[in-house]
Amino acid sequence: MTRRVAAAVVAAVVLVGAAPPLPPYVITVAPGGQPHIPLVIKRGNLDIRLALSFDTALVLNAEPAKRAELKPFPLIGKRTFKSALIPGGEATFRGNLYGIMPRGLPKSTVPAIWVDKPIAADADGVLALSALKTDRVVLELGPVAPGSRVHRLSRPDKGSVMMKVRLGDEKISTALELNSPDTVMNARAAAALITAGLVKRSGQVGFWRPFPGVALPFERLTPTPGARLLDMPLVRPAVRITEAQAKQLDAQARAGTSTSDDDADTVTVTASRKKGRDPWILIGRDVLQQCARIEFDRPGKTWALTCAF
């Protein structure tokens, strides 16, 4: 009896002392739009777009960083990088650790990076959704369509947005991104999907535009009937290809901006799947537009998508 009473007292203390779960941080997204939040950093009141596809950092256009009076970390806070992802192929990055205050959330510290080339055309910058100091972030995208259900996608790390999917002997890093109209992947990921019978090459060229002034050629992939990845349908997948490969497929590829520096992501998809960069897939709006709600559950290590597919 004494043991039962003691156990009951301990349980009562635990229940009384336990903090109630915080409500989710809800962001309503305009139809066809992007998730935006107001954010204060140093002397700047900024309009920031949230990104689902990378972790932790805040990346700003140069002018808003100047307006906020941000200063780079001494000696190591300024670097010049070359990449096909950058307009003109080269940019100077400056960075430091700064406290940020998104509206309605506690202050947190993040690596802030500002770039002398445009990073966002529709906002002052881009913030990783995982940098928000809250357990659950909910993006409300619109009304729930008939036949919708909740799809739970596991993440290996509660602080990271990335997921992993294994196809054959490849472990593919996979992320969600509303700002990408198409689902885009690199060559090793495409080779794994082709080998698994999920997609076929089409020979049709298009462009991935991850930043203003950047147009990277891709080859459209045709999904096989019923093809799914992570319990999501493949709708308009595409694989990154080089300018040389694109020119062979479509004369319009001359309008692209990539260079040989980016070819590691774009080896021929029928080549050895162990060549080139580690495999990655970015699930775009072609798939996510079928969703009414996207939830980032930090402690649960899941994405919860309410979608009609």
Side-chain angles (χ1 to χ4, degrees):
M1 178 67 71
T2 302
R3 290 179 181 175
R4 285 198 292 269
V5 171
V9 170
V10 170
V13 170
V14 169
L15 288 173
V16 170
L22 295 174
Y25 185 67
V26 179
I27 301 164
T28 301
V29 182
Q34 300 295 322
H36 285 240
I37 60 169
L39 178 147
V40 176
I41 178 170
K42 203 176 179 183
R43 299 185 185 278
N45 292 276
L46 307 183
D47 170 45
I48 296 297
R49 187 178 80 227
L50 289 177
L52 285 63
S53 57
F54 67 92
D55 292 322
T56 307
L58 170 65
V59 185
L60 297 172
N61 294 331
E63 191 281 327
K66 181 179 179 180
R67 191 167 75 237
E69 300 183 10
L70 304 187
K71 303 295 181 184
F73 193 84
L75 300 179
I76 63 172
K78 177 181 176 181
R79 292 286 187 272
T80 298
F81 293 93
K82 294 183 178 181
S83 171
L85 291 174
I86 300 170
E90 181 176 305
T92 299
F93 288 61
R94 293 171 172 84
N96 208 336
L97 291 175
Y98 274 104
I100 60 171
M101 290 190 65
R103 180 181 293 175
L105 287 177
K107 183 177 181 179
S108 59
T109 300
V110 300
I113 300 165
W114 53 104
V115 189
D116 66 351
K117 297 290 178 67
I119 293 300
D122 62 336
D124 292 319
V126 183
L127 176 68
L129 177 144
S130 61
L132 298 177
K133 198 172 183 180
T134 183
D135 281 345
R136 294 166 61 207
V137 181
V138 173
L139 306 181
E140 296 283 3
L141 305 178
V144 178
S148 294
R149 65 182 181 90
V150 177
H151 303 255
R152 294 199 176 273
L153 313 177
S154 297
R155 298 178 288 106
D157 182 350
K158 70 178 183 179
S160 174
V161 298
M162 300 301 295
M163 298 169 286
K164 295 288 186 181
V165 59
R166 180 171 288 281
L167 285 177
D169 59 355
E170 291 280 29
K171 183 180 286 188
I172 304 171
S173 296
T174 308
L176 311 175
E177 186 50 73
L178 286 167
N179 195 49
S180 179
D182 302 281
T183 291
V184 182
M185 66 194 74
N186 71 350
R188 276 180 57 180
L193 266 66
I194 290 171
T195 301
L198 298 176
V199 297
K200 297 179 180 179
R201 298 180 66 175
S202 73
Q204 179 186 354
V205 170
F207 293 100
W208 182 38
R209 304 180 188 274
F211 301 109
V214 173
L216 303 176
F218 60 60
E219 180 183 355
R220 184 72 65 193
L221 300 170
T222 302
T224 56
R228 299 177 79 89
L229 186 74
L230 286 173
D231 198 28
M232 294 180 285
L234 291 168
V235 180
R236 287 199 314 269
V239 57
R240 283 280 294 113
I241 55 176
T242 65
E243 293 282 354
Q245 291 168 332
K247 286 174 184 177
Q248 295 174 2
L249 297 172
D250 191 327
Q252 292 181 348
R254 286 174 293 178
T257 61
S258 63
T259 69
S260 59
D261 291 336
D262 197 45
D263 284 358
D265 263 342
T266 60
V267 294
T268 305
V269 295
T270 54
S272 168
R273 286 178 288 128
K274 289 303 182 183
K275 293 181 180 179
R277 293 180 184 145
D278 289 343
W280 57 263
I281 298 176
L282 193 67
I283 305 293
R285 187 176 280 274
D286 57 325
V287 175
L288 300 178
Q289 67 185 355
Q290 300 177 66
C291 301
R293 177 185 172 106
I294 297 175
E295 178 181 337
F296 176 73
D297 182 347
R298 190 186 306 274
K301 296 195 292 186
T302 63
W303 287 102
L305 279 59
T306 303
C307 312
F309 51 63

